[in-house]
Amino acid sequence: KGDVYVANGGEHGVVDVFSATGVYLSQLKETSSGLFGELHGVAVDPSGDVWVYEGEGNVDEFSDTLGFVKTFNTGRGAQPGMAVDSNGDVYVISGEPSVLKFSSVTGEMVEEFALGASGLALDPATNNLFVDMGGSVARYGPFGEPYSTPLETFPGEGLVGSRGIAVNRASTVYASEPMADNVELFNYVLLPGVTTGTASQLSETSEALHGTVNPE
């Protein structure tokens, strides 16, 4: 619905809920009377459930009406960074730091990858996972696959000390540079697809080269 959830940490220990126009709506607490510990992230899954990531490694799920559903612990410490994909699976940054993927159904860890991560964002249109690596952004395929190697890393140079990223439905990536007071924007560009074939008609002075180009 476009509602905005803000992790209001420190002595407050709550998640504040605002409408898409910035009107304060309500407040989410860990229990009816208790407050959250150190807050490291909040995300909303496709069904509207709210997920909260705490400093102790606890991951809490609340319904779209803010009723408590369940909790699990990563057992790996915590750093700021959380995202939820269209399957409802949860991605968090552990204390190492690295990206951990957990099943939202069982709470079991599915994969660990991207050592050195400092931020997470999921493309809502494609489920591509973007991982802030401080001096660059790594793009993984839908649902984080393949986990061992990102599909691409950008930019080649120029991003310094980024500590958080976001992505919109047009696949524009926003990366923060807090020391420079900048937010860098990266627009997704479709590049031509090039395929090379086998050379033929080989001689000492010439050959025929073959290939195709899809201009996209």
Side-chain angles (χ1 to χ4, degrees), residues 3-202:
D3 289 350
V4 180
Y5 297 81
V6 180
N8 190 354
E11 62 183 16
H12 301 286
V14 298
V15 174
D16 292 319
V17 187
F18 298 85
S19 73
T21 59
V23 177
Y24 176 82
L25 298 177
S26 61
Q27 200 173 72
L28 176 62
K29 300 179 181 180
E30 188 169 27
T31 63
S32 59
S33 58
L35 303 179
F36 291 107
E38 186 178 7
L39 287 168
H40 281 327
V42 58
V44 183
D45 69 23
S47 67
D49 282 9
V50 181
W51 294 81
V52 180
Y53 185 35
E54 298 185 70
E56 302 86 354
N58 290 332
V59 178
D60 305 318
E61 181 185 7
F62 298 85
S63 70
D64 58 352
T65 59
L66 305 186
F68 178 78
V69 177
K70 65 175 181 288
T71 186
F72 65 86
N73 187 279
T74 67
R76 299 288 293 275
Q79 295 277 1
M82 183 184 202
V84 183
D85 64 27
S86 64
N87 286 338
D89 290 336
V90 179
Y91 304 77
V92 297
I93 297 181
S94 70
E96 277 75 9
S98 59
V99 178
L100 307 179
K101 179 180 179 180
F102 288 86
S103 166
S104 63
V105 177
T106 64
E108 295 180 353
M109 190 172 76
V110 176
E111 196 67 43
E112 179 179 6
F113 57 103
L115 184 66
S118 61
L120 293 175
L122 271 160
D123 188 329
T126 65
N127 276 297
N128 282 334
L129 177 68
F130 293 86
V131 180
D132 191 342
M133 302 300 293
S136 62
V137 177
R139 179 175 70 89
Y140 292 83
F143 311 108
E145 299 173 345
Y147 302 106
S148 58
T149 306
L151 298 179
E152 64 175 325
T153 301
F154 61 91
E157 58 182 3
L159 188 65
V160 179
S162 181
R163 292 293 301 275
I165 57 175
V167 58
N168 64 16
R169 288 188 175 275
S171 298
T172 299
V173 177
Y174 302 79
S176 67
E177 287 184 307
M179 296 301 294
D181 286 337
N182 286 338
V183 175
E184 302 285 351
L185 276 65
F186 301 93
N187 292 316
Y188 181 75
V189 178
L190 212 54
L191 299 177
V194 180
T195 304
T196 56
T198 303
S200 64
Q201 302 175 34
L202 305 180

